[in-house]
Each structure stands twice: as C-alpha cells, then as structure tokens.
Amino acid sequence: MVTVEQVLELMVEPAYKPMTYQELEKEFKIDGAQEFKDFLQLLTGLENDGRVFRGKGERYGLPERMDLVRGRLQAHAKGFGFLIPENREHADVYIGANDMKGAMNGDILLVKVTKRGAAGGKLEGEIVKIVKRSVARVVGTFQHHETYGFVLPDDKRINRDIFIPQNAFMGADEGQKVVVNIVNYPEGKAAAEGEIIEILGHKNDPGVDILSIIRKHGLPEAFPDEVMAEAEKAPDSITEEEIVQQGRRDLRGERIVTIDGADAKDLDDAVQVVRLENGNYKLGVHIADVSYYVREGSKLDQEAYNRGCSVYLVDRVIPMLPHRLSNGICSLNPQVDRLTMSCEMEFDAETMKVVKHDIFTSVIRTTERMTYTNVKLIITGEADEELKERYAHLLDDFSVMAELSGKLRKRRMNRGAIDFDFKESKVIVDEEGKPVDIIQRERSVAEMLIEEFMLAANETVAEHFHWLKVPFLYRIHEDPDQEKLMNFAEFVTNFGHALRGGRGSSVHPKSLQALLEDIKGTKEETVISTVMLRSMKQAKYDAESTGHFGLAAEFYSHFTSPIRRYPDLVIHRVIREILEAEGRGLSDKRHEYLAGRMSDIATQSSERERVAVDAERDTDQLKKCEFMLDKVGEEFVGMISSVTGFGMFIELPNSVEGLIRLSDMNDDYYNFHENQLALIGERTSKIYRIGDEVKIRVARVNMDDHTIDFEMADAPKGGTGTRDRIVERFTGRGARGGEGGFGGGRGGKGRGKGGFGEGSKAGGAPGGGRGKRSESGPAGGVSGGGRGKRGKGGAGGSVGVSPAGGQGEGRKAGASPAGGSWGASAGMGGRWGGSASDGEKNDAYYAERRRAAKADKAAGGDAPAGGGGSNGIGGSRGGGGGGKAAGGRGLKAVAKKAGGKRKRK
C-alpha cells in the first residue's frame, strides 16, 4: 500500500517531473481495484490539504516545485491582502483586490507569483487555490430587507457582507448584533451566505459592544464542565508528605516576596536577592509550579492549549486557567506554602555575568505581598515613616534589589538591547462598562526591577536547556527586514538624526538603542520610536533558538508566567521531566514525541497571542471612542502621529487618536510626500509632519467603525473641506453626498438629505447603474451615482456631465490607475469618494485638480463627483456621488447574486 511519505519523497526528488495519476499508478506499481481506490483517496487528500497540487494536464507535484507559495492570507479592510508564506525565508506576496477570489482573512492559500519587483523587490501574485478556510463564524450588525437580510461584519477585513436568507433570520431584528455561521463562502460574484446562530442584542445595548468583540475574535468565556470538574479537584493547600516525596528544596525560611500591581490576584512570580560574602549577588526567581496541577493531556491542559494565554480586556480578564487554580493553589499568596519552580543565579559583582546557576523544584512561603507603588516609594526614598516601619525587615533587601536591577539593566543596554519606553494608557470604566477616564500606566523603578529579574531568569533557563539539546520552546525575535530598516534610516534623517552602524541587516540593535537615547525627551521621541517598532518583526514562539534581536540576547524563553501563558507551562513540564530523570535524559520515544509537538505548540501559541492582542486593542479603541462621544466640538492640543495620503492622525495626551482628513483641511491644497511623511501645502508651503504639535477640534465619533475624526481648531465649525469648496466653486451647487452606497452617500449628505428607502429621489432620476469589472457605470441622475463592482467604482452622479471614471484597483504605492473626475488619490477610492490606503498616491488626481483650477471661468457647470468607494472592491462602503440630494438605496435592483456590499446605515 502506497503511503503519504512515499508520494512526497518521490515528488521532492530533483529529477521528478509532474505526473498524471495514471503515471503515478505505474510508478508505484499499483495492482488491484481496492489499492487503486485507496491511492486515489490518498492523492485527493494530499491535494485538499494543499501538500500536493494538480496543475495543467492533470499532473501532480509539490506546490513549491511548481512555482507556488503556500501561506496564510492577511487581508486588509481596503480589499487587498498579503500572503504570509509558511516558508519564513520567502518574502510576503501582495494580492490585489481583484485577485482575491473570495478568500478571507486567515485562509491558507496557494499563490502564484505573477510579478517581481526589480532587484528582489516586492512580489505580487494571484490565488490559485484556497486550501483551508479560516473564518467559520462572523459577528456583525443585521440589516433586515423583508425577504432577505445582510450581516455587516464587525471585522473590517471581511469587506463583503454576509447574505442571510429569510429562513435563517432566527428572529433577528434590524440593528441587532448577531453571530453568523457561514454556510457558503463567497465565490465569483456571489456573496457569502450564512445563518444566524446567536443574537447578542441591539448594538446600542449595554455590554453588547464588548461581547461582540469577544465573539468576533472567537474568545472563550466560561470553562467547559469537564474542565471545571478537574479544577475543583485541585487542593486548597499542600502537605508535608508531597513536599518530601517530590524531593523539593525547602525555601520556606528565606525572605522571598512577590511584587505586583495592587489589583493583581494571580501572583505567579516571587523574588529574592542576597549579597554573598564574596561580593557577588544571588538572585532567586521562583515561579508557581502550575505544571504540577495541570497535567499533560488533561482537560485542563487541552483547554489551556486552545486558549493559549489570558486575555486582558478593558472591563474583564478571560483567564487561561480557572480561578480555582490561577487565584488559588497556583497563586503565590503571602505567608502560605506554595510549590514552585526556581531559578537561582549568581552574578559577578564586576561583570554582571552569571557565574553559577541552578534550576530546581522548590516550596516557598512568601514573606510579603508587595505592590509596585510601595516598592517604588521605598527604593526612591519617598516612603513615609509608617511604610518604613511596616517593611523594616525588608528595607535592606529592597536596597540590594535596586542595586542589582540597575546593574543588570546597564549590562543589557551595553550589549545593545532596545528599550522602548512607550507611555501606555488604561481606560477606566464604571460598573456599567462606561468609560469614565483614561489614565497613563506608570513604568516605575519597581516595574523595571521585576522586568530585569524576569529577563535574567528567562535567558538563563533558555541557554541551559538549549545546550542540553532537549525539545524546548523559545521566544525569538528575528532580525528586521533590510528594506524596512533602510526606509527607517532615511526617515530619521528628516528630524536631523542618523542611524549609526551601517544600514539594513547590518544594523546592530545597539545602534537603534543609541538613537532612542539621542531622541529621549524630544518632541519626535514617540514618533521615531513608533516607526522604529513598526520597522521590526513581531516576536513569536519557536522550537528553535535563533536569538532575540530586540533584547540582543542569543537565548531567550518564556519561563516566568505559566498561569497566563501556555508556552511557560509547557517548558515547566520539560524541566520537570529532565530534573526527575536525574541525568538520564529523555527516552528516545519521548524525545521524538516532544520534538514533534513543539513546532505546533509554538505556532498555536503565537496565533493565540496575536488574537489576544487584537482583542485587547479593539476593546481599548472602542472605549476610547465612547469616552470621546460627549467631547465632540471640544478643542485639544495633540501631536501628529502618522501622515498618509488621505490625511493625518493626531494623538492626544490621553492616547486617543483621531484622523484629520485631507478633504477637511480647507486652508490650502496639500500634497503627501511619502519619503518625508509630510503634507505640504501648494500655495502656502505649510508643512505638517510627524511629531508636530497641532490644535484640533473633535468633529465626529463613529461608534460603528470605532473611529474618531478631528478637524483643525482654526477651521470653521461645520465648514466645508477642500473638496466641497472645489465643487461649490466650479459647479455652483452643493457638494455631493458622503462616501457612497446605492444611489447616494453614506447617510446621503449633500445639500439635501438622502433617503434610505427604495428609489428615494430628489427631483431627478434614481442612482446610476453598476460599473462592470473593467468599466465605469453610466452616469446617475441628480440623486446619485452607481455602484462599482469588484474593484471598479461606479459612475459619479452628475447633472448633464459625462460620468466619472472608475475606481482604482488599490495596489501598493503608486501602482493604482487614475480615479474619477477628481481622481483616485490612492487607488482605494475616489479622492472624495473614500479614504485611500497608507502610502498610496495617484498623480492623475493632482493633474486633474490643476486643470480644474485653470477652468475658473467655467464655474456655472456641474462637475461630476469622484468615483469609487472607500474600501476598494465593488464600491463597497462607497459608491458614486450624489447630486443636490443623495439618492435612495435601490435595494430591489441588487439581489444576493450581486455579491457586493450593502450600504451601511
């Protein structure tokens, strides 16, 4: 019988050329009907998994041998995406909006590279096969249309709405947040079809906002009954008998303390520092021995693996382990016996190198439960007499701790570790979940002290087990992409700084840290730090130790938080096995099993970490928007944090960020200069660039998209922006509607008010037709423009004027064709039809605008509005322009088979 391994071994041979199944049948000398049937099933399975590809002439081969790249799709809200290859040596591949072929964010794909930039530049490709679907459920807002409905996804990376047949409503009403199970995925022109499986409540109901984000990211809530049953079996205390049986080192007589936030309940690390007689320092880091209670393969272990880590949302924590464990027997609560995994290190007083270390199981009884605030007061000498008296027995210990942590930090900085000192914020919510304040998180000497001790333990453990050559999990941070670092080096020159030590991959982290020290305290510090961070790769877990660029560490792991991170729990198990083997090492069978599991655990943990970060960011942004709702019209001073082709982002001191759209900057016409990341006025030569301080006014807060719009404080309230002034100047009429839709803008705001009803008009014809794949739609009447399809915008609405051009496809910088009459500034939508993607620009827009300016005398005619919508496919979330009043939605003209976006209310 032919096996999978035999097929793959054949196809990987250099001499192999793709074969038909008949040729493969002969190659493997298959005889008999059943054997042939089994072989076809094996071949089909390999093809379905994407491990084998069937190409021209029905011939089979390995994807990588047939110029195909396998990877995961990272979709963008604008409609395009990037393939992140499984082969980390392969560059990312850009996939245009028109080439997505119904693929959704996270899908596993096979992609054919169709275009390569010069000198190893950017790659572009097209999807050949969707190997595995990633999105099974979608959270969104339900729109009811009598005989059918649509769900508008909360995840903007899913930029086509989900069609819901009438029999799958499950009683959902207009405006409710729902969870949809996808029944049929999008294909060709057809939209994805789904069925509602859960109604979360109306989008404006308290608590539904956070619940929607939890469902959107697939975060678990309650633990399954069988998991809770196992957790309940955990003891409340430990016995002398089990301490003796396990041969644990007894440290209960040592002065060991925990240092955490005042509201922390899961205390998983404790520390101790002693100055030895030889002048060296002994640092003990003692971590809760969670692996003793969460056994491999148990229900608790399976649940922890699936969750990957604890998730810290604005108003709640979704723990990796039940509170029975995390806040109970595994928490190093004060003055009670707890089982721990310890790492003791002796540091040379002069060089701060580890001269001796020991890793062992132990039992401790912490002396005190300290808080960051109190430790900071003690170390800085700001403690009052009451605090000093309370912790008199520990004052000398904290003095030695501060001394050691300072030396460890200095050693780390000297070797080139990068230390980003970002100001983090925390949204404070009341009992009902409403935001009442935004405060800055403090990173005091106490936090940095614990940080240094944990880093030292993580490095020591990683190096120890690396040299033992046992299966292990490491935390790695790969070297930055050469091109990104070169761009960053050029960027900092705009501020008068230089990146020393070479360019590209030759740049040592020490050069980056030197730059951070140079800019400390300057107005551009936050901006340069942010751009530097974005120039680097994300840290992740891996079964191989390849080093940590940001820490300038050769070996690094996560050992110190097994209560809230699964990789820490896994390596604790490995450590226990090695210690219990007493020098014999792992058996060959066990070694092979663990080695096979580590890559999978690393990938799963990295993915779950990414989900947790995204969910935390989403809830943070949601509550920041809600916090700013009652501040519309108020003025603040902020700093420009980002500049793009469609405007600039302003960050306020409380970390709230909002966008000033280019179309709302009404004192000049501004051009985006990508290399300088600046907006420069044509007439006044006024420059806005990252790091500049500006005074803004809060203009709008969009709770559906979780976005905030600012405007310059010196702009007239409710005044028209650049685009509106152009339209009024050259047409003698009001500006068209908002960002598009069916026969009118989003909300249909022009000089009249657009209706949401079918065929709403304003004394004119209904909205224009739908643009075909490669052409613009016909011009609409007074009421509004048409709707584009698959990346080409519909015609702009006009009055007696030829239609506007279609929308650009939305490629990377400078690759998009021109837009409509006012041009597509960045290929993602008409300049006035919608927002453009970062860094994209279209010179056709500027040329057209200058031509229009020369036609000053012709102000009596009507100019068409720009085509295209803000999302770059099918005019999604943005069709053509309206006339004197925005048009209706024309719902009957658009059935499910259209497969495009329905306009959001």
Side-chain angles (χ1 to χ4, degrees):
M1 181 178 176
V2 181
T3 65
V4 169
E5 289 73 19
Q6 287 176 312
V7 174
L8 297 179
E9 285 174 5
L10 170 67
M11 293 184 177
V12 80
E13 290 178 1
Y16 176 80
K17 293 183 179 180
M19 298 182 182
T20 64
Y21 74 87
Q22 294 97 334
E23 291 169 336
L24 288 168
E25 178 188 1
K26 293 179 181 178
E27 177 71 24
F28 288 111
K29 298 180 174 58
I30 294 173
D31 186 24
Q34 186 58 47
E35 187 179 0
F36 177 69
K37 181 179 179 181
D38 292 341
F39 174 69
L40 285 184
Q41 288 180 343
L42 181 147
L43 206 56
T44 301
L46 287 172
E47 182 185 358
N48 291 339
D49 290 342
R51 299 171 71 183
V52 165
F53 182 71
R54 177 159 49 103
K56 293 181 180 180
E58 300 294 304
R59 295 182 177 276
Y60 292 86
L62 298 180
E64 57 269 28
R65 298 284 300 277
M66 302 175 78
D67 294 327
L68 300 178
V69 185
R70 180 184 168 114
R72 184 179 298 274
L73 177 65
Q74 189 177 83
H76 192 280
K78 302 297 183 182
F80 60 87
F82 290 91
L83 182 83
I84 311 301
E86 291 180 353
N87 178 5
R88 69 178 67 161
E89 301 297 326
H90 198 287
D92 296 349
V93 183
Y94 171 78
I95 303 171
N98 288 343
D99 298 320
M100 292 290 278
K101 297 184 179 178
M104 303 173 78
N105 185 62
D107 287 352
I108 302 297
L109 309 175
L110 288 178
V111 168
K112 184 176 181 64
V113 175
T114 58
K115 184 178 180 181
R116 298 178 184 270
K122 300 294 177 64
L123 305 180
E124 296 187 25
E126 60 182 24
I127 296 172
V128 173
K129 180 181 177 66
I130 299 175
V131 176
K132 182 181 178 181
R133 290 288 188 175
S134 172
V135 179
R137 293 181 178 178
V138 174
V139 177
T141 306
F142 183 65
Q143 281 192 348
H144 192 294
H145 299 308
E146 295 184 3
T147 58
Y148 62 91
F150 279 91
V151 170
L152 285 58
D154 286 351
D155 189 344
K156 299 300 181 288
R157 294 170 299 184
I158 303 174
N159 47 31
R160 298 175 71 178
D161 300 338
I162 314 299
F163 175 80
I164 310 295
Q166 190 173 25
N167 61 1
F169 283 7
M170 209 183 95
D173 290 328
E174 178 80 16
Q176 287 186 324
K177 288 284 185 181
V178 298
V179 181
V180 173
N181 189 48
I182 296 181
V183 177
N184 294 310
Y185 286 92
E187 187 173 349
K189 299 178 182 179
E193 181 179 326
E195 58 182 3
I196 295 173
I197 59 174
E198 184 180 6
I199 299 173
L200 304 179
H202 193 275
K203 63 180 182 180
N204 295 329
D205 290 345
V208 171
D209 49 6
I210 298 292
L211 186 58
S212 296
I213 291 174
I214 290 173
R215 292 289 191 276
K216 167 188 170 183
H217 293 284
L219 299 177
E221 289 184 282
F223 287 93
D225 292 341
E226 59 270 23
V227 173
M228 291 303 298
E230 281 190 3
E232 289 300 322
K233 294 177 182 177
D236 294 318
S237 60
I238 60 178
T239 65
E240 290 294 329
E241 183 181 2
E242 61 185 327
I243 295 173
V244 174
Q245 284 180 346
Q246 296 170 43
R248 291 178 179 267
R249 195 175 302 180
D250 194 340
L251 303 178
R252 286 176 289 183
E254 304 287 338
R255 287 196 306 273
I256 300 173
V257 299
T258 59
I259 306 176
D260 293 275
D263 56 352
K265 296 181 176 61
D266 52 348
L267 315 178
D268 54 7
D269 59 83
V271 295
Q272 171 198 31
V273 174
V274 177
R275 193 193 304 274
L276 302 176
E277 292 182 359
N278 60 5
N280 291 348
Y281 301 91
K282 185 179 80 171
L283 166 64
V285 175
H286 311 283
I287 308 300
D289 192 356
V290 181
S291 64
Y292 178 74
Y293 300 100
V294 182
R295 295 294 181 169
E296 183 178 5
S298 65
K299 296 296 182 183
L300 277 166
D301 180 48
Q302 293 171 24
E303 185 69 13
Y305 168 83
N306 290 332
R307 294 184 176 222
C309 59
S310 296
V311 186
Y312 297 84
L313 304 181
V314 168
D315 64 342
R316 72 195 74 182
V317 176
I318 300 177
M320 185 180 80
L321 297 172
H323 290 309
R324 169 79 178 172
L325 292 173
S326 62
N327 296 359
I329 192 66
C330 293
S331 182
L332 306 183
N333 297 328
Q335 298 163 7
V336 294
D337 294 349
R338 288 291 184 261
L339 302 181
T340 47
M341 192 76 72
S342 297
C343 176
E344 286 187 347
M345 297 149 281
E346 181 180 336
F347 293 93
D348 182 274
E350 297 298 325
T351 65
M352 293 313 298
K353 290 183 178 180
V354 178
V355 295
K356 187 189 299 182
H357 73 274
D358 196 7
I359 300 168
F360 54 92
T361 58
S362 57
V363 56
I364 68 170
R365 181 184 297 156
T366 57
T367 306
E368 291 286 353
R369 188 259 196 252
M370 302 298 298
T371 65
Y372 288 127
T373 301
N374 286 342
V375 172
K376 182 197 76 169
L377 294 174
I378 291 171
I379 291 176
T380 58
E382 301 172 19
D384 57 26
E385 291 304 318
E386 181 183 352
L387 193 62
K388 289 179 182 178
E389 184 177 348
R390 180 179 175 184
Y391 298 117
H393 58 299
L394 294 173
L395 294 182
D396 290 342
D397 288 356
F398 288 128
S399 176
V400 178
M401 284 185 187
E403 187 178 305
L404 174 60
S405 68
K407 290 184 176 181
L408 287 174
R409 179 177 174 79
K410 183 178 179 180
R411 182 196 68 165
R412 193 162 57 85
M413 293 298 103
N414 286 341
R415 79 183 184 198
I418 303 171
D419 185 39
F420 291 106
D421 191 15
F422 289 113
K423 294 179 181 177
E424 297 184 5
S425 63
K426 180 179 180 180
V427 181
I428 307 299
V429 296
D430 60 20
E431 294 179 355
E432 296 180 353
K434 294 184 177 180
V436 294
D437 197 7
I438 301 176
I439 62 173
Q440 281 192 0
R441 295 180 187 268
E442 184 180 20
R443 188 189 180 212
S444 70
V445 291
E447 279 89 351
M448 289 191 284
L449 179 148
I450 289 297
E451 179 182 306
E452 292 301 329
F453 292 169
M454 297 304 113
L455 288 171
N458 285 336
E459 289 186 38
T460 301
V461 168
E463 182 172 5
H464 180 92
F465 287 93
H466 170 77
W467 293 118
L468 286 182
K469 301 187 184 303
V470 296
F472 213 65
L473 281 178
Y474 300 93
R475 182 72 169 178
I476 67 168
H477 186 210
E478 297 168 302
D479 290 354
D481 178 76
Q482 180 177 357
E483 183 180 355
K484 287 185 177 180
L485 266 189
M486 290 178 64
N487 291 337
F488 172 72
E490 183 177 349
F491 165 74
V492 298
T493 61
N494 294 307
F495 299 90
H497 299 285
L499 185 60
R500 299 186 291 271
R503 285 194 168 196
S505 58
S506 64
V507 173
H508 190 274
K510 195 168 186 176
S511 301
L512 297 173
Q513 178 59 30
L515 176 61
L516 291 178
E517 292 172 359
D518 289 344
I519 63 175
K520 199 168 188 64
T522 65
K523 69 175 184 177
E524 64 265 21
E525 177 183 6
T526 300
V527 173
I528 291 180
S529 298
T530 301
V531 177
M532 181 189 295
L533 183 62
R534 291 173 181 171
S535 301
M536 297 182 189
K537 295 181 179 179
Q538 292 179 343
K540 62 181 180 180
Y541 297 102
D542 202 286
E544 300 294 330
S545 177
T546 58
H548 196 293
F549 180 83
L551 294 173
E554 187 176 357
F555 308 100
Y556 194 68
S557 64
H558 272 171
F559 163 76
T560 55
S561 296
I563 287 179
R564 60 185 179 88
R565 292 191 305 231
Y566 191 71
D568 304 52
L569 176 59
V570 169
I571 69 172
H572 274 226
R573 288 202 189 106
V574 175
I575 293 172
R576 175 189 303 285
E577 288 193 49
I578 298 298
L579 294 176
E580 291 177 349
E582 297 180 343
R584 297 187 304 273
L586 301 173
S587 67
D588 291 342
K589 184 177 180 181
R590 181 61 176 167
H591 190 286
E592 183 181 355
Y593 171 77
L594 286 176
R597 286 278 293 141
M598 289 303 171
S599 292
D600 171 66
I601 294 172
T603 300
Q604 162 74 0
S605 299
S606 297
E607 290 176 355
R608 295 309 301 171
E609 179 188 37
R610 192 74 249 144
V611 169
V613 169
D614 289 344
E616 291 165 6
R617 190 175 292 153
D618 281 357
T619 57
D620 196 56
Q621 180 62 19
L622 163 72
K623 291 304 176 182
K624 285 181 178 179
C625 287
E626 189 176 347
F627 180 74
M628 298 298 290
L629 270 176
D630 61 355
K631 296 168 181 59
V632 173
E634 295 185 22
E635 296 182 357
F636 301 91
V637 174
M639 185 188 68
I640 300 175
S641 58
S642 180
V643 179
T644 72
F646 54 87
M648 55 187 180
F649 289 92
I650 313 298
E651 184 176 335
L652 304 184
N654 64 0
S655 78
V656 169
E657 195 172 55
L659 170 67
I660 296 181
R661 300 179 186 276
L662 207 59
S663 53
D664 290 333
M665 299 175 67
N666 53 23
D667 62 326
D668 201 347
Y669 301 110
Y670 289 90
N671 294 321
F672 173 53
H673 292 251
E674 186 174 1
N675 289 339
Q676 289 77 34
L677 289 182
L679 294 175
I680 302 179
E682 286 188 2
R683 179 176 54 84
T684 62
S685 296
K686 190 172 184 179
I687 300 175
Y688 290 104
R689 71 176 181 182
I690 291 178
D692 288 350
E693 194 174 84
V694 293
K695 190 173 184 180
I696 60 90
R697 181 166 52 241
V698 182
R700 293 170 293 277
V701 176
N702 187 327
M703 289 305 297
D704 288 331
D705 293 338
H706 303 164
T707 58
I708 302 171
D709 281 353
F710 293 156
E711 59 189 7
M712 302 302 293
D714 55 4
K717 288 188 178 181
T720 58
T722 309
R723 186 269 309 172
D724 292 344
R725 291 186 292 102
I726 292 177
V727 173
E728 289 174 332
R729 182 179 183 187
F730 293 113
T731 68
R733 63 175 174 87
R736 72 158 175 85
E739 290 192 11
F742 291 109
R746 223 179 201 163
K749 295 174 185 174
R751 287 303 180 193
K753 183 177 181 181
F756 282 107
E758 177 184 335
S760 173
K761 302 177 184 178
R770 299 175 51 185
K772 299 295 184 184
R773 181 181 177 92
S774 60
E775 63 187 23
S776 301
V782 175
S783 67
R787 174 173 178 271
K789 181 164 117 179
R790 288 189 65 82
K792 302 297 177 180
S798 58
V799 182
V801 184
S802 59
Q807 170 185 310
E809 177 184 343
R811 300 262 178 197
K812 289 185 177 179
S816 305
S821 178
W822 296 116
S825 161
M828 278 304 146
R831 185 69 195 94
W832 313 123
S835 59
S837 70
D838 291 359
E840 294 179 310
K841 181 172 64 175
N842 194 321
D843 293 336
Y845 155 63
Y846 298 105
E848 182 64 31
R849 194 176 66 188
R850 292 188 183 99
R851 285 196 295 271
K854 292 179 181 179
D856 192 17
K857 300 291 185 180
D862 276 350
S870 66
N871 280 311
I873 66 164
S876 67
R877 299 191 181 93
K884 293 184 179 178
R889 300 181 56 164
L891 293 176
K892 287 186 178 178
V894 186
K896 176 217 167 184
K897 291 298 181 183
K901 292 293 250 185
R902 269 48 185 175
K903 178 181 155 302
R904 294 175 183 264
K905 287 189 178 178

